[in-house]
Amino acid sequence: MSCHESSKLVPDYFDEALSLQQRKAMEAHLQDCADCQEALAEAKSINGQLRQWRDEPVPQWQRVPKQLQGSGGSARPRFSFWGQWAPLAGAFVMAVAVLFNVQIQVQDNGFSIAFGGAAGIDAGVIAAQLEEFENEQRAAQQQTLQVLSAQLEERQAGNNARLLETVIEQFGDSTTRSLEQVMAYFESQRQQDLQLLQTSYQRLADSDVQTIRSMQQLANYVQYQGN
Amino acid sequence: MSFTDQDEALISAALDGSARAWERLVKRYETRVYNFSLRLTGNQTDALDLMQEVFLGVYRNLHRFRGDAQFSTWLFRIAHNKAVDMSRRKYMVTSLSSVAGQEQSDDDVLDHIANDNGAHDPQRVLSTTQSNAEIIGCLDILNWEQRLVVELKVFQSHTFDEIAEMQDISANTAKTRFYTALKLLKAHMEQSHELS
């Protein structure tokens, strides 16, 4: 077998994709070439022997994968493409945030992101905000006090006027009876004033508590950002 | 209902979670895949391992099967890839167990893999018929690449263009491997006849 065409001709013979023209050329060469005829005959023989293979029976094995065993299994992916990648993307973002020490601050005019260390906090701005807040609270307290004082003075003035009128009207009937009525009237007025004062002080106290809470929240916020 | 239509119906049911449909689908192809695996690995244990890997790969990728090609074609592409993966794993095991510092060429390694499958051990081919055992003995002299080409050409009846695409080689390389394999097989068979 010395024909150099054999190495090409033999595989070509087994190539179903060979064109009609190529096959005719191959057959023409085969008619005149004993080497290639012999090579092809041997190849056919080997091919025939290999094809003597008889399929072996499949041994017992687990055909159904664990994922499909039982009810409810499905070979369809449980999540869509993005659903499959979302956890990985989330983990990546978290990893970047940890690695680069990313800090996000929410501010009045939006938010800022800082990398690699504590975000810069403008202490002067915070102190100014605190002072402004304190002044606002003080002003509110002063205003409330003034309103309450004005109400109290107005009430006292009205009461005094009514007291004088009542005393003058009742004085002629019976001195003893009039004195008892005057005393009872004074007592009722005193009780009303006392209640008014208590209510006013309670409102003042509530306002102070609110102020303290606001100050505490602000202080906590500043401390959190500082950390 | 045609064979392909039956495949599609079973695939659809399997995708919806029907274990019975999947089992029926497997049963239609397991004999072909098992014998493909047996010819390549030369022994029942590795053949079963390879077959399981193939069907697991098919199951995991079943939702990607679009029906552009026949299911059997798609399945045997996966089988081919799994066989190559297995040969690489064997190569790694062989390399790790070889003498440290001893360099081997690819051909040496593939020859080693081909000769390392124990096909000559009668205990490992007990399940095969006499003719099948002889065929396994013949294929055993080929390296992995040559054996794959013979498998795809002789037993799976692929064209050389298809083999080239599957193995990421040229059609001429596939033909050369096939021709070389036939020459080696001829020499081996002649030698066997002389001895007997």
Side-chain angles (χ1 to χ4, degrees), chain B residues 41 109-119 139-144 147:
Chain B
T41 63
V109 170
L110 290 166
D111 287 343
H112 193 166
I113 293 164
N115 293 325
D116 191 39
N117 59 23
L139 293 173
D140 189 51
I141 67 159
L142 306 178
N143 69 31
W144 189 268
R147 204 183 307 183

Side-chain angles (χ1 to χ4, degrees), chain A residues 170-183:
Chain A
Q170 298 292 330
F171 199 75
D173 295 337
S174 169
T175 307
T176 307
R177 191 178 162 201
S178 296
L179 281 173
E180 285 174 357
Q181 286 177 341
V182 168
M183 288 300 289

Side-chain angles (χ1 to χ4, degrees), chain B residues 38-85:
Chain B
L38 192 59
R39 286 187 295 265
L40 284 177
T41 63
N43 69 86
Q44 192 186 74
T45 306
D46 285 345
L48 270 172
D49 284 348
L50 179 54
M51 179 177 68
Q52 283 178 330
E53 285 188 27
V54 169
F55 280 109
L56 193 60
V58 170
Y59 176 76
R60 285 177 176 159
N61 292 284
L62 199 56
H63 64 279
R64 294 197 174 97
F65 177 66
R66 297 282 177 250
D68 299 334
Q70 282 194 343
F71 178 68
S72 59
T73 307
W74 182 75
L75 183 151
F76 271 94
R77 281 184 190 276
I78 291 177
H80 170 266
N81 293 337
K82 294 292 179 187
V84 171
D85 289 345

Side-chain angles (χ1 to χ4, degrees), chain A residues 1 6-7 10-12 14-17 42-43 46-47 49-59 61-65 67-68 73-77, chain B residues 14-17 19 22 26-27 30-31 34-35 38-39 44 51-52 55 59 63 127-129 132 135-136 150 153-155 160 175 178-179 182 186 189:
Chain A
M1 191 165 57
S6 297
S7 61
V10 171
D12 280 350
F14 293 95
D15 189 1
E16 293 83 356
E42 288 169 350
I46 293 164
N47 184 61
Q49 289 183 58
L50 291 175
R51 292 179 78 92
Q52 291 296 313
W53 179 274
R54 293 292 170 263
D55 278 348
E56 299 275 337
V58 181
W61 70 293
Q62 186 63 48
R63 292 185 181 89
V64 181
Q67 298 96 309
L68 201 53
S74 172
R76 288 188 202 283
Chain B
L15 283 169
D16 289 335
W22 169 254
V26 170
K27 279 183 177 175
E30 66 178 4
T31 301
Y34 174 69
N35 282 272
L38 192 59
R39 286 187 295 265
Q44 192 186 74
M51 179 177 68
Q52 283 178 330
F55 280 109
Y59 176 76
H63 64 279
S127 66
T128 61
T129 64
N132 285 358
I135 292 168
I136 287 176
V150 169
K153 185 70 219 168
V154 176
F155 297 100
F160 284 109
K175 286 181 179 181
F178 181 68
Y179 182 67
L182 290 181
K186 173 180 168 283
M189 286 175 180

Side-chain angles (χ1 to χ4, degrees), chain A residues 103-114 129 221 225:
Chain A
Q103 297 193 18
I104 301 172
Q105 293 177 27
V106 180
Q107 297 171 342
D108 293 340
N109 54 353
F111 65 90
S112 62
I113 301 174
Q129 287 178 344
Y221 176 68
Q225 286 202 330

Side-chain angles (χ1 to χ4, degrees), chain A:
Chain A
M1 191 165 57
S2 58
C3 180
H4 67 278
E5 287 289 322
S6 297
S7 61
K8 186 176 179 300
L9 183 141
V10 171
D12 280 350
Y13 177 83
F14 293 95
D15 189 1
E16 293 83 356
L18 212 61
S19 68
L20 186 62
Q21 189 179 3
Q22 287 173 313
R23 194 161 288 279
K24 280 183 177 177
M26 179 183 72
E27 286 170 357
H29 176 78
L30 268 174
Q31 282 183 343
D32 299 330
C33 181
D35 289 343
C36 285
Q37 287 174 16
E38 186 184 347
L40 184 59
E42 288 169 350
K44 283 181 178 176
S45 171
I46 293 164
N47 184 61
Q49 289 183 58
L50 291 175
R51 292 179 78 92
Q52 291 296 313
W53 179 274
R54 293 292 170 263
D55 278 348
E56 299 275 337
V58 181
Q60 194 62 35
W61 70 293
Q62 186 63 48
R63 292 185 181 89
V64 181
K66 288 178 182 174
Q67 298 96 309
L68 201 53
Q69 288 174 4
S71 58
S74 172
R76 288 188 202 283
R78 192 170 294 175
F79 304 106
S80 65
F81 176 81
W82 293 112
Q84 286 178 324
W85 286 100
L88 183 64
F92 178 74
V93 170
M94 292 296 287
V96 168
V98 170
L99 281 172
F100 293 95
N101 196 13
V102 176
Q103 297 193 18
I104 301 172
Q105 293 177 27
V106 180
Q107 297 171 342
D108 293 340
N109 54 353
F111 65 90
S112 62
I113 301 174
F115 293 88
I121 297 174
D122 193 338
V125 171
I126 296 296
Q129 287 178 344
L130 271 172
E131 192 176 347
E132 185 182 355
F133 179 75
E134 189 177 351
N135 291 335
E136 284 175 2
Q137 290 299 316
R138 284 183 187 281
Q141 283 180 355
Q142 289 290 337
Q143 192 176 4
T144 306
L145 275 173
Q146 286 174 0
V147 169
L148 286 172
S149 298
Q151 286 178 350
L152 192 60
E153 284 176 6
E154 187 180 352
R155 178 75 181 263
Q156 284 287 13
N159 287 343
N160 290 338
R162 280 197 297 274
L163 179 61
L164 281 172
E165 287 173 6
T166 305
V167 168
I168 291 166
E169 285 174 7
Q170 298 292 330
F171 199 75
D173 295 337
S174 169
T175 307
T176 307
R177 191 178 162 201
S178 296
L179 281 173
E180 285 174 357
Q181 286 177 341
V182 168
M183 288 300 289
Y185 184 77
F186 268 113
E187 181 62 23
S188 73
Q189 289 300 311
R190 196 181 66 79
Q191 289 293 334
Q192 283 183 13
D193 291 340
L194 193 61
Q195 284 179 358
L196 182 65
L197 274 173
Q198 283 176 343
T199 307
S200 301
Y201 278 121
Q202 186 60 48
R203 288 170 66 179
L204 262 177
D206 291 344
S207 177
D208 283 339
V209 168
Q210 186 183 355
T211 304
I212 290 165
R213 283 180 183 164
S214 301
M215 292 293 281
Q216 284 175 340
Q217 287 175 353
L218 189 62
N220 289 338
Y221 176 68
V222 171
Q223 188 177 9
Y224 169 75
Q225 286 202 330
N227 292 335

